[in-house]
């Protein structure tokens, strides 16, 4: 029998006893989910700003982008979730802004973040595609850590499995709506837990691998925006497969089609086609040199001239 706060990965020999969802400081209850998300955001912007500085962009440019990015990403995440859960929210309008019990979607955050970045770059007169290549690196850091927030919340898991990474959660620790007939069918007498795919873990690890690939490729990209395309396509295919395992899918109306799975595949295909088309176009135009390299050389020349004048 498992205690309410236990989590286990039996085939890996991992048993976490009394693993809490929150902790108390001076009488205030603080959710681990919120702490992990905040750390993910902090580390994500730290990485992005570091990369921006190395590329010679204005100091703290990405930190200036942080506040509007967080606000409109959260708003986009909530709108996305509500739109594809409208059958519920149309009868519970008082809950539209209540995100304390969950109800945000990463693709909505991505859409909100990119729109905000576009406007930000227009105002600050920066290259949107160049900044996008940097911003997606920070975004991935946030996603990698954010999934561990789902872990502490005992949410975002998959169907029943007895595979190597099978995760056991006490029944009373998860939402009743997340216990599907398939999962319930494996709850027998004397068992007070469910055994499921830890999809949070799959996505976190795959996102980490994607981040490493994009970081290594950044210095070799052929045009501004190519790393962002790599993120959209890479995360698209990751989400396509992980979404197929998850039980808490957002569906397109009554079609039974998981919206994030469909969007993931569309983005994967679109990213590949766009990359190929841009490469062909640049080759035909004779644009062999990556533009940013030329810009950096020009900036260096201008800076050297200013130093000579001084």
């Amino acid at each position: 029998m498992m205690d309410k706060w236990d989590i286990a990965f039996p085939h890996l020999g991992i048993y976490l006893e009394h693993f809490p969802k929150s902790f108390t400081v001076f009488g205030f209850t603080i959710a681990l989910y919120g702490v992990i998300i905040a750390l993910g955001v902090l580390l994500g912007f730290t990485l992005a700003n570091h990369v921006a500085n190395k590329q010679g962009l204005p100091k703290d440019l990405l930190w200036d982008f942080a506040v509007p990015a967080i606000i409109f990403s959260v708003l986009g995440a909530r709108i996305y979730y509500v739109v594809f859960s409208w059958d519920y929210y149309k009868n519970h309008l008082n809950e539209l802004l209540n995100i304390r019990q969950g109800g945000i979607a990463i693709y909505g955050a991505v859409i909100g973040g990119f729109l905000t970045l576009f406007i930000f770059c227009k105002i600050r007169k920066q290259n949107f595609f160049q900044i996008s290549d940097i911003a997606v690196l920070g975004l991935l850091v946030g996603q990698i850590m954010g999934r561990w927030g789902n872990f502490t919340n005992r949410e975002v898991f998959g169907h029943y499995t007895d595979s190597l990474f099978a995760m056991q959660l006490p029944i009373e620790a998860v939402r009743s709506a997340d216990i599907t007939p398939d999962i319930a069918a494996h709850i027998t007498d004397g068992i007070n837990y469910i055994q499921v795919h830890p999809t949070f873990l799959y996505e976190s690890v795959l996102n980490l691998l994607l981040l490493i690939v994009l970081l290594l490729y950044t210095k070799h990209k052929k045009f501004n925006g190519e790393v962002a395309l790599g993120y959209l396509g890479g995360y698209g295919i990751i989400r396509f497969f992980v979404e197929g395992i998850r039980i808490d899918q957002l569906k397109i109306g009554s079609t039974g089609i998981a919206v994030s799975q469909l969007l993931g595949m569309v983005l994967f295909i679109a990213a590949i086609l766009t990359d190929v088309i841009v490469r062909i176009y640049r080759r035909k135009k004779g644009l062999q040199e990556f533009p940013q390299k030329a810009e950096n050389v020009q900036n260096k020349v201008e800076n050297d001239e200013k130093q000579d004048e001084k």
Side-chain angles (χ1 to χ4, degrees), residues 64-86:
D64 293 340
F65 172 61
V67 173
I70 293 170
I71 293 173
F72 290 104
S73 291
V74 172
L75 183 60
R78 183 58 175 176
I79 291 173
Y80 184 101
Y81 185 88
V82 168
V83 167
F84 291 104
S85 303
W86 186 242

Side-chain angles (χ1 to χ4, degrees), residues 238-306:
I238 288 172
R239 188 60 184 266
F240 175 82
F241 286 110
V242 174
E243 190 74 9
I245 304 172
R246 282 177 55 166
I247 52 89
D248 58 337
Q249 300 174 336
L250 293 176
K251 302 294 181 63
I252 302 176
S254 58
T255 63
I257 299 174
V259 60
S260 291
Q261 195 169 31
L262 175 62
L263 182 57
M265 181 54 68
V266 169
L267 288 175
F268 173 68
I269 295 172
I272 291 177
L273 291 177
T274 301
D275 192 273
V276 171
I277 291 170
V278 173
R279 282 171 176 258
I280 293 174
Y281 173 80
R282 287 177 54 76
R283 189 175 296 114
K284 286 184 177 180
K285 293 294 183 179
L287 300 174
Q288 299 299 325
E289 183 183 15
F290 172 51
Q292 187 56 32
K293 292 180 181 178
E295 291 174 13
N296 287 339
V297 171
Q298 181 62 33
N299 289 338
K300 185 178 186 304
V301 171
E302 292 175 357
N303 290 334
D304 289 344
E305 290 176 349
K306 290 179 181 178

Side-chain angles (χ1 to χ4, degrees), residues 170-184:
I171 295 173
E172 59 181 321
V174 303
R175 296 173 299 190
S176 58
D178 288 341
I179 301 179
T180 64
D182 173 59
I183 294 174

Side-chain angles (χ1 to χ4, degrees), residues 181-201:
D182 173 59
I183 294 174
H186 291 87
I187 302 175
T188 58
D189 292 340
I191 293 179
N192 71 331
Y193 58 82
I194 61 174
Q195 185 168 297
V196 294
H197 280 285
T199 50
F200 80 90
L201 177 62

Side-chain angles (χ1 to χ4, degrees), residues 79-248:
I79 291 173
Y80 184 101
Y81 185 88
V82 168
V83 167
F84 291 104
S85 303
W86 186 242
D87 284 344
Y88 173 82
Y89 285 103
K90 67 182 180 181
N91 298 317
H92 300 83
L93 297 179
N94 60 313
E95 297 182 26
L96 286 177
L97 300 179
N98 181 15
I99 62 174
R100 290 177 299 175
Q101 301 301 319
I104 57 176
I106 185 60
Y107 267 132
V110 172
I111 294 170
F114 269 103
L115 290 175
T116 305
L117 181 61
F118 180 79
I119 296 172
F120 176 82
C121 289
K122 286 290 185 182
I123 295 173
R124 295 293 294 268
K125 294 180 172 54
Q126 296 293 322
N127 186 317
F128 167 71
F129 296 106
Q130 180 188 4
I131 306 300
S132 293
D133 284 345
I134 299 170
V136 295
L137 302 176
L139 174 59
L140 268 173
V141 172
Q143 289 180 250
I144 291 165
M145 293 195 63
R147 285 308 178 199
W148 288 92
N150 296 134
F151 169 64
T152 65
N153 263 10
R154 283 73 165 174
E155 61 186 7
V156 188
F157 49 79
H159 293 282
Y160 170 83
T161 183
D162 195 35
S163 63
L164 176 64
F165 296 101
M167 175 177 64
Q168 294 177 349
L169 298 170
I171 295 173
E172 59 181 321
V174 303
R175 296 173 299 190
S176 58
D178 288 341
I179 301 179
T180 64
D182 173 59
I183 294 174
H186 291 87
I187 302 175
T188 58
D189 292 340
I191 293 179
N192 71 331
Y193 58 82
I194 61 174
Q195 185 168 297
V196 294
H197 280 285
T199 50
F200 80 90
L201 177 62
Y202 302 159
E203 189 169 322
S204 183
V205 171
L206 290 172
N207 281 341
L208 176 59
L209 294 176
L210 177 60
L211 174 62
I212 293 171
V213 170
L214 294 183
L215 281 170
L216 293 174
Y217 187 70
T218 293
K219 294 182 179 180
H220 306 284
K221 65 180 184 178
K222 303 303 180 183
F223 56 88
N224 282 325
E226 189 173 30
V227 175
L229 285 175
Y231 163 77
L232 292 174
Y235 181 64
I237 198 65
I238 288 172
R239 188 60 184 266
F240 175 82
F241 286 110
V242 174
E243 190 74 9
I245 304 172
R246 282 177 55 166
I247 52 89
D248 58 337

Side-chain angles (χ1 to χ4, degrees), residues 27-44:
F28 293 96
T29 300
I30 302 175
L32 283 174
Y33 177 88
V35 173
I36 293 172
I37 294 295
L39 285 174
V41 171
L42 178 62
L43 291 177

